[in-house]
Amino acid sequence: MKNLQTKTFLFIISLWSMLTFAQQNQKKSFEIKNGHFILNGKDIEIRSGEMHYPRVPKEYWKHRLLMMKAMGLNTVATYVFWNYHEESQGKWDWSGQKDLRAFIKTAEDVGLYVILRPGPYVCAEWEFGGYPWWLQNIKGLKIREDNEPFLSANHKYLSELYHQVKDLQITKGGPIIMVQAENEFGLFAFQRKDISQQSHKSYLNKVVKQIKDVGFDLPMYTSDVSDFFGGGYVEGALPGANGEKNIDKLRKVVNNYHNNQGPYMIAEFYPGWLTHWGEGFPRTKTDGIVRLTKDFLKNGVSFNYYMIHGGTNFGFTSGANYNKEHDIQPDLTSYDYDAPISEAGWRTPKYDSLRLVLSKYTKEKLPDVPAPIKVIKIKDIRLSKLYSVFKYSESQEKVKADKPLTFEELNQGYGYVLYRHHFNESVSGKLDVSGLRDYATVYVNGKKLGELNRFYNNYTMQVDIPKNADLEILVENWGRINYDAQINENTKGIVSPVKIDDKKITGTWEMIKLPFQDQFFSTIKTKPIAKGEYRTLKDVPTIYQGEFELKEAGDTFIDMQNWGKGIIFINGKNLGRFWKVGPQQTLYIPGVWLRQGKNEIIIFDQLNEKVQNTVSTIEKPILNDLTR
């Protein structure tokens, strides 16, 4: 009897296992058909939020995705950033923080579908719009054009991407339901009037063909401002409208390009907006976003909140806009975006208001909102070692040439380059660095003369250089342009001859590479400045190093209100840029990048107008304090 019971139990377990396996591997499907989104044979409206995996620490992905689920969303959209995964040509990295597969699987685990936006152009207020900087070193290559060198590089990128996610498509049982074809190309085609519409269409069709040829077999959509659908339309893809508020107009323009039928989707629905350095932090009123959300839900319009959670432009990932008033408009380190979920993952009044609306349109009770991450305050971190960048530079790689070389010619993507020219004879006059890209501090024999700044169109200054002296120009790449036709002019450093009184400076230039990559402190070989000599560092670009002990880790915000301009590293990780002008005066430190016990901090201040002894963190960010 006992043996029979055992056999029966084993049979039931085996049968249950087979049924579970069959259910897990049951064919899933997503299609655009008869004017509707069809998921597994049933109509569905997409309620999506955009979140980008590089802008949120990997350890927090699940927390943020659970917040999206608790808000009433059913999908997450993300760009894929080509330059994030191929930092140097042919060397790919999809591990750790860059593990796109893990992000997608985490979304699936919490019950969200995924919309994949591979670009290759992503805009996104991201460095170079997602393109690798080294593309500019390939002879004859022109980005975003019907250009064989570019299309060849792009095909390799798409192939690598497909290899990472091929089994995560819904056609293979995964959560990815749609893939975007290029990005906002209609607007770009309008901006680039120097290229024929025929050439634009040829390029766009070839990119779409590449997406299909590498293996993607999902429904496609495009994302554009509705007025520019004509330039960005792809046959067979659903046109998605960015920022459209008029539902009648949405239906009309989509019908015009999509067989006179829907579905209708706001591909980018803006609950907030981006911010540049030197301008006020924009706020998008909650009541307007709530009203639009209600209208879309009532009328069966699908949407994707861009952004639902912005996160942070860690390191050198922030991009820039271009306009005629400012040659460059660099984006903040914070990508808070005034989104419903704040930079640090906090629920906001906007989040709660939208959750209340969405809860009325879901067929099941919404899960509880995850608790926020613990926040701590660290007072008076002592900065015990100070280094002059001029001393530090003595041990760094140097290149000599008969002209200033760009970052790209130096095979350096990001950070800083120190340009040095020796004068045998004295010279005075107006220094002209019209080829500055983007921000510079100018010195003679280590003594600061002033600043040049592309944001303020400030390219000239008076100089008096004595006999046997060095002119030194420390140049920062402030982020490559990610939006506008000027995206095709994105080399950094000094890109044209330097002049004094309209006469080109001739002779040898020395370029010292200062990329300041993660963990760069281990490359410091010079001795720190003696404490009694700290006063000599005023107005000298300075590296500060300190250590601090923590009993427990938690999120926090480092207060940079008394500092100049530079970058910060915590335990080897680059938090991003700060600048006294604002509006951002703090940088977000994720608690998962801190640890119990000893921690290390490094601050590089290019201006160093005041020599510092300590720095502290606070519990709330300062994102709207302009000082100029």
Side-chain angles (χ1 to χ4, degrees):
M1 182 67 177
K2 188 175 181 180
N3 190 39
L4 179 62
Q5 288 177 331
T6 300
K7 289 181 178 180
T8 302
F9 175 75
L10 291 174
F11 173 76
I12 293 171
I13 290 295
S14 177
L15 181 62
W16 177 83
S17 297
M18 287 188 292
L19 288 172
T20 301
F21 180 81
Q23 288 175 349
Q24 289 176 343
N25 289 273
Q26 184 179 6
K27 181 79 172 176
K28 297 179 181 178
S29 65
F30 180 84
E31 56 186 334
I32 298 172
K33 186 177 180 181
N34 298 327
H36 298 277
F37 292 119
I38 309 294
L39 176 66
N40 300 329
K42 297 181 180 179
D43 289 2
I44 184 176
E45 291 165 8
I46 295 172
R47 302 186 301 274
S48 175
E50 187 109 0
M51 169 182 158
H52 301 146
Y53 56 100
R55 287 173 157 146
V56 181
K58 182 178 181 180
E59 297 87 343
Y60 290 164
W61 287 347
K62 187 172 184 178
H63 177 267
R64 309 303 199 254
L65 292 166
L66 284 170
M67 290 193 72
M68 293 173 60
K69 184 70 174 177
M71 185 175 162
L73 303 179
N74 56 23
T75 305
V76 59
T78 184
Y79 281 126
V80 182
F81 302 86
W82 180 359
N83 58 8
Y84 193 59
H85 298 286
E86 194 182 9
E87 287 192 33
S88 58
Q89 190 171 4
K91 294 183 179 179
W92 295 90
D93 188 355
W94 301 89
S95 63
Q97 180 67 40
K98 302 184 180 187
D99 192 344
L100 175 62
R101 282 185 59 85
F103 177 78
I104 294 170
K105 290 179 74 67
T106 303
E108 182 179 30
D109 289 344
V110 305
L112 294 172
Y113 292 99
V114 176
I115 294 174
L116 205 62
R117 308 181 71 185
Y121 169 70
V122 300
C123 188
E125 292 69 63
W126 185 269
E127 225 276 341
F128 204 3
Y131 295 118
W133 64 267
W134 48 261
L135 287 176
Q136 298 174 107
N137 283 342
I138 297 177
K139 187 176 181 180
L141 186 145
K142 295 182 179 180
I143 65 169
R144 229 175 178 192
E145 294 184 22
D146 188 358
N147 171 267
E148 178 52 37
F150 174 75
L151 289 169
S152 176
N154 186 62
H155 189 272
K156 291 176 184 176
Y157 155 62
L158 291 172
S159 296
E160 287 285 340
L161 169 60
Y162 179 71
H163 178 73
Q164 293 295 319
V165 303
K166 57 185 179 183
D167 60 320
L168 300 178
Q169 299 178 99
I170 195 165
T171 50
K172 306 294 190 297
I176 305 174
I177 57 174
M178 281 201 301
V179 62
Q180 183 180 330
E182 235 279 351
N183 182 50
E184 296 180 335
F185 191 76
L187 181 57
F188 179 75
F190 174 79
Q191 293 169 337
R192 289 295 304 274
K193 292 183 172 68
D194 57 318
I195 301 175
S196 70
Q197 290 300 310
Q198 182 179 0
S199 180
H200 280 311
K201 278 296 182 184
S202 176
Y203 160 77
L204 184 57
N205 289 332
K206 286 179 180 179
V207 169
V208 171
K209 185 176 185 300
Q210 286 184 342
I211 294 171
K212 294 177 180 178
D213 286 350
V214 299
F216 284 103
D217 59 349
L218 297 167
M220 279 193 182
Y221 77 103
T222 58
S223 178
D224 243 312
V225 177
S226 58
D227 291 340
F228 301 105
F229 273 8
Y233 171 68
V234 176
E235 187 175 352
L238 174 71
N242 290 355
E244 185 58 67
K245 299 177 181 179
N246 187 316
I247 294 176
D248 290 337
K249 181 179 178 181
L250 173 70
R251 287 172 172 157
K252 182 178 179 180
V253 293
V254 170
N255 289 349
N256 191 39
Y257 291 96
H258 198 248
N259 302 320
N260 203 35
Q261 62 181 7
Y264 307 102
M265 180 173 177
I266 309 299
E268 291 186 1
F269 175 11
Y270 306 116
W273 197 244
L274 61 98
T275 316
H276 303 115
W277 292 106
E279 66 182 28
F281 189 86
R283 295 290 181 185
T284 303
K285 292 183 178 180
T286 297
D287 55 357
I289 301 303
V290 167
R291 185 169 58 252
L292 273 175
T293 299
K294 287 180 179 178
D295 288 345
F296 295 153
L297 291 168
K298 288 177 182 177
N299 288 277
V301 174
S302 293
F303 54 83
N304 172 48
Y305 290 118
Y306 187 102
M307 303 287 298
I308 194 67
H309 172 50
T312 309
N313 293 315
F314 295 115
F316 298 120
T317 60
S318 58
N321 279 12
Y322 172 88
N323 67 21
K324 292 180 180 179
E325 181 183 355
H326 300 284
D327 280 357
I328 193 171
Q329 294 176 290
D331 296 305
L332 294 187
T333 297
S334 172
Y335 201 57
D336 178 271
Y337 213 85
D338 192 29
I341 303 171
S342 78
E343 178 180 15
W346 302 342
R347 62 193 292 181
T348 65
K350 189 178 293 182
Y351 176 95
D352 289 332
S353 296
L354 292 173
R355 183 173 188 259
L356 181 61
V357 172
L358 289 163
S359 67
K360 298 175 181 179
Y361 288 85
T362 56
K363 295 181 180 180
E364 55 189 28
K365 183 181 177 182
L366 295 182
D368 293 336
V369 180
I373 306 298
K374 180 179 177 63
V375 177
I376 64 172
K377 181 178 180 179
I378 312 170
K379 187 177 180 181
D380 295 335
I381 298 170
R382 185 169 172 267
L383 302 169
S384 57
K385 296 178 182 178
L386 281 64
Y387 303 83
S388 163
V389 163
F390 295 123
K391 288 286 186 181
Y392 168 77
S393 68
E394 293 174 0
S395 63
Q396 301 306 298
E397 182 182 354
K398 300 176 180 66
V399 178
K400 292 185 178 182
D402 60 2
K403 67 170 185 175
L405 301 179
T406 66
F407 276 51
E408 290 73 18
E409 289 170 324
L410 293 167
N411 199 35
Q412 178 178 325
Y414 314 107
Y416 305 77
V417 170
L418 178 61
Y419 293 83
R420 179 179 287 146
H421 181 82
H422 183 76
F423 287 83
N424 294 318
E425 302 296 333
S426 63
V427 61
S428 298
K430 185 175 73 172
L431 176 70
D432 185 342
V433 194
S434 297
L436 173 64
R437 304 291 185 270
D438 300 301
Y439 184 98
T441 39
V442 182
Y443 310 84
V444 170
N445 288 343
K447 183 177 180 180
K448 184 178 176 182
L449 299 185
E451 302 165 33
L452 300 176
N453 187 328
R454 191 178 175 195
F455 177 70
Y456 294 124
N457 297 305
N458 178 16
Y459 296 106
T460 63
M461 66 187 306
Q462 192 69 24
V463 295
D464 295 295
I465 304 173
K467 185 178 180 179
N468 293 322
D470 289 333
L471 171 67
E472 296 156 313
I473 308 174
L474 180 58
V475 177
E476 175 194 9
N477 164 8
W478 214 347
R480 289 180 180 83
I481 292 168
N482 60 261
Y483 175 77
D484 206 299
Q486 292 289 332
I487 195 171
N488 289 277
E489 299 175 21
N490 250 329
T491 51
K492 293 296 183 178
I494 298 178
V495 304
S496 64
V498 178
K499 300 177 182 178
I500 295 179
D501 282 346
D502 293 326
K503 293 181 180 179
K504 184 168 66 174
I505 297 176
T506 59
T508 301
W509 283 85
E510 181 179 66
M511 279 69 63
I512 303 171
K513 301 169 67 172
L514 303 169
F516 287 166
Q517 297 171 317
D518 287 4
Q519 311 292 345
F520 87 91
F521 186 72
S522 61
T523 67
I524 295 181
K525 298 177 182 178
T526 188
K527 293 182 179 179
I529 297 293
K531 190 171 183 179
E533 298 178 2
Y534 280 6
R535 65 185 182 281
T536 65
L537 291 174
K538 185 179 183 303
D539 296 325
V540 172
T542 299
I543 299 169
Y544 293 80
Q545 189 266 344
E547 293 180 349
F548 58 99
E549 296 275 342
L550 288 179
K551 292 182 179 179
E552 60 176 346
D555 286 358
T556 190
F557 303 88
I558 188 164
D559 185 356
M560 304 306 292
Q561 292 179 90
N562 295 322
W563 294 73
K565 189 177 195 307
I567 52 177
I568 306 173
F569 293 80
I570 289 288
N571 294 326
K573 292 184 181 293
N574 190 338
L575 299 181
R577 301 178 175 95
F578 63 89
W579 188 28
K580 63 180 181 179
V581 168
Q584 180 177 0
Q585 300 290 348
T586 57
L587 293 188
Y588 171 55
I589 305 177
V592 290
W593 290 0
L594 296 170
R595 50 187 177 237
Q596 289 184 339
K598 185 185 294 185
N599 293 265
E600 179 189 69
I601 182 171
I602 294 175
I603 302 173
F604 169 56
D605 191 334
Q606 184 175 355
L607 303 181
N608 209 47
E609 295 164 334
K610 177 184 176 183
V611 180
Q612 309 281 350
N613 296 309
T614 63
V615 69
S616 299
T617 76
I618 56 181
E619 296 174 318
K620 291 184 179 180
I622 302 173
L623 298 178
N624 195 19
D625 187 359
L626 276 173
T627 63
R628 176 172 174 175

